Amino acid sequence: SIIFDGIWEVLERWPILAPRYLSLINAKLENFARTPETVGYKVLNNIRIPWTSTIGDEVGLFPIAYLARLSYYRKHPSGLYNRSMDINISTLVATEYVVPWPVRLKDGTIAADLGWPGQEGHGTFVWADDSFMGTGLLSHLSLLLDRRDLANMAGSMLLLFDNHLFDSQDGLHFHGYNDFDQEHSCCKWGRANGWIMMAHVDALLAIARYGPSTLFDSVLDNFKKHAQGALAVQSPSGLWHEVLDVPSTFLETSCTAMFLYSFNTGVSKGWLDAATFKPAIQKAYAGMLTNIPLNGEVQNICEGTGIGTDVAFYEARGRNYLLSSPGLGSVLRAIASMDI
């Protein structure tokens, strides 16, 4: 979903690329929705999909790819495009799989049965990743279908995630929290922080559409605190580390891209101080480009990662390009956000 979202944003930014890619990505989306046994086909044909271990892994996030297509064709109309499938697939997933997600803390926070080794839990684990997986679709739907209720739902959920994961000492988020024993996981993983920052940006874009509100102010305040925390641990190269506050860990591309996109959007909307953040944006962009060779196989993106028990776990994670899809789309989003 995030790769396709990034592709559509690139095509909106540089329409000259559209003839080269439109037929390919449209075919991919159509096949995913029309081929039996795919998740998209099951959603459209009312075939119930069992709940998975976390909210975004199987169902909750993929419709963003279809909403990104809807956004593109609103700006670039085509008689060949029929928006009904994109709206249907996104609305069905939101109302049947995201909003009624069954595993939650007592305060309503989206949670999971799966945590990290050595921890006992009973649907009490909160993942920073799920801040995006559980709200990203709602924020996108709100913007495109004028659903204020979904924007409010996304913003309110992010405040709950912040309550459980944010460390006021350094402005960063822990990767996980177990409400069963009220313990945080060991580390502040870079991409987990990237997910939660992008989730705040997307929710702010949605909430802002409906005018001033205390919810917008609260989400914005948390976003600004997080941005300051991330800014403080940016490396001299412009990149951020795999574990943000541990400089011995490798410099990781996807979290850098997520912060770059978030900082860029924050500055452009007047949410972040331009004099403070523009130098960091330029450094981050230059640093990110060092990990993008001419063949396009982005380097130093951590593969999909569970919650670890120590820094060594994160440092040892693979960086194979073919396994980097959870973070790859953020690189495209970051590039599309740049004024270049």
Side-chain angles (χ1 to χ4, degrees), residues 45 61 125 132 136 141 178 217 242 300 318:
N45 289 275
L61 201 60
F125 292 103
F132 188 89
L141 262 177
N178 185 3
D217 292 342
E242 165 77 343
N300 292 316

Side-chain angles (χ1 to χ4, degrees), residues 259-281:
F259 295 144
L260 176 54
Y261 164 80
S262 300
F263 285 7
N264 247 333
T265 307
V267 169
S268 70
K269 295 297 181 181
W271 303 334
L272 297 177
D273 178 65
T276 301
F277 283 89
K278 276 193 172 181
I281 289 169

Side-chain angles (χ1 to χ4, degrees), residues 151-211:
N152 290 342
M153 194 177 300
S156 298
M157 181 58 63
L158 288 172
L159 295 180
L160 292 175
F161 273 96
D162 292 337
N163 286 341
H164 295 299
L165 296 170
F166 182 70
D167 186 349
S168 60
Q169 296 299 310
D170 59 12
L172 302 175
H173 288 74
F174 290 96
H175 191 183
Y177 167 75
N178 185 3
D179 195 58
F180 181 75
D181 57 13
Q182 299 187 343
E183 292 285 338
H184 288 106
S185 62
C186 68
C187 302
K188 291 157 182 174
W189 182 41
R191 190 156 71 233
N193 277 262
W195 284 129
I196 203 165
M197 189 178 289
M198 284 205 312
H200 281 66
V201 168
D202 289 351
L204 286 168
L205 291 171
I207 300 166
R209 177 173 180 168
Y210 306 102

Side-chain angles (χ1 to χ4, degrees), residues 212-227:
S213 67
T214 55
L215 177 61
F216 177 86
D217 292 342
S218 297
V219 176
L220 177 60
D221 184 57
N222 286 2
F223 167 65
K224 291 168 73 172
K225 290 175 181 176
H226 192 193

Side-chain angles (χ1 to χ4, degrees), residues 24-268:
L24 173 63
I25 58 177
N26 275 321
K28 292 283 188 182
L29 291 176
E30 293 297 320
N31 287 340
F32 190 72
R34 306 297 186 192
T35 303
E37 302 309 317
T38 64
V39 172
Y41 178 89
K42 291 178 180 179
V43 169
L44 287 173
N45 289 275
N46 298 312
I47 301 171
R48 187 68 193 179
I49 302 167
W51 297 112
T52 52
S53 58
T54 56
I55 192 168
D57 280 353
E58 189 73 22
V59 185
L61 201 60
F62 82 87
I64 287 178
Y66 292 89
L67 288 177
R69 177 166 69 172
L70 174 62
S71 176
Y72 176 86
Y73 279 112
R74 280 189 174 179
K75 298 171 184 175
H76 306 277
S78 169
L80 300 176
Y81 171 65
N82 184 344
R83 69 177 195 160
S84 60
M85 184 182 76
D86 295 351
I87 292 174
N88 288 343
I89 203 168
S90 303
T91 303
L92 284 168
V93 169
T95 57
E96 295 187 14
Y97 292 95
V98 175
V99 173
W101 177 253
V103 185
R104 296 175 183 263
L105 303 187
K106 291 180 180 179
D107 64 5
T109 307
I110 291 168
D113 293 317
L114 180 66
W116 60 96
Q119 286 283 305
E120 181 180 359
H122 307 278
T124 57
F125 292 103
V126 178
W127 292 54
D129 318 45
D130 286 347
S131 64
F132 188 89
M133 313 306 169
T135 67
L137 177 60
L138 305 183
S139 296
H140 282 69
L141 262 177
S142 173
L143 275 173
L144 290 168
L145 300 185
D146 197 25
R147 291 281 304 271
R148 184 172 187 171
D149 60 319
L150 298 181
N152 290 342
M153 194 177 300
S156 298
M157 181 58 63
L158 288 172
L159 295 180
L160 292 175
F161 273 96
D162 292 337
N163 286 341
H164 295 299
L165 296 170
F166 182 70
D167 186 349
S168 60
Q169 296 299 310
D170 59 12
L172 302 175
H173 288 74
F174 290 96
H175 191 183
Y177 167 75
N178 185 3
D179 195 58
F180 181 75
D181 57 13
Q182 299 187 343
E183 292 285 338
H184 288 106
S185 62
C186 68
C187 302
K188 291 157 182 174
W189 182 41
R191 190 156 71 233
N193 277 262
W195 284 129
I196 203 165
M197 189 178 289
M198 284 205 312
H200 281 66
V201 168
D202 289 351
L204 286 168
L205 291 171
I207 300 166
R209 177 173 180 168
Y210 306 102
S213 67
T214 55
L215 177 61
F216 177 86
D217 292 342
S218 297
V219 176
L220 177 60
D221 184 57
N222 286 2
F223 167 65
K224 291 168 73 172
K225 290 175 181 176
H226 192 193
Q228 288 288 348
L231 182 66
V233 293
Q234 185 181 28
S235 78
S237 71
L239 297 158
W240 276 266
H241 290 276
E242 165 77 343
V243 178
L244 293 177
D245 55 348
V246 182
S248 61
T249 58
F250 68 89
L251 295 166
E252 205 274 333
T253 309
S254 69
C255 71
T256 297
M258 291 173 170
F259 295 144
L260 176 54
Y261 164 80
S262 300
F263 285 7
N264 247 333
T265 307
V267 169
S268 70

Side-chain angles (χ1 to χ4, degrees), residues 191 250 252 297-304 316-328:
R191 190 156 71 233
F250 68 89
E252 205 274 333
E297 294 191 3
V298 183
Q299 299 172 350
N300 292 316
I301 291 187
C302 179
E303 64 188 33
R317 298 302 292 165
R319 291 171 254 175
N320 184 331
Y321 172 74
L322 296 178
L323 300 176
S324 68
S325 59
L328 188 58

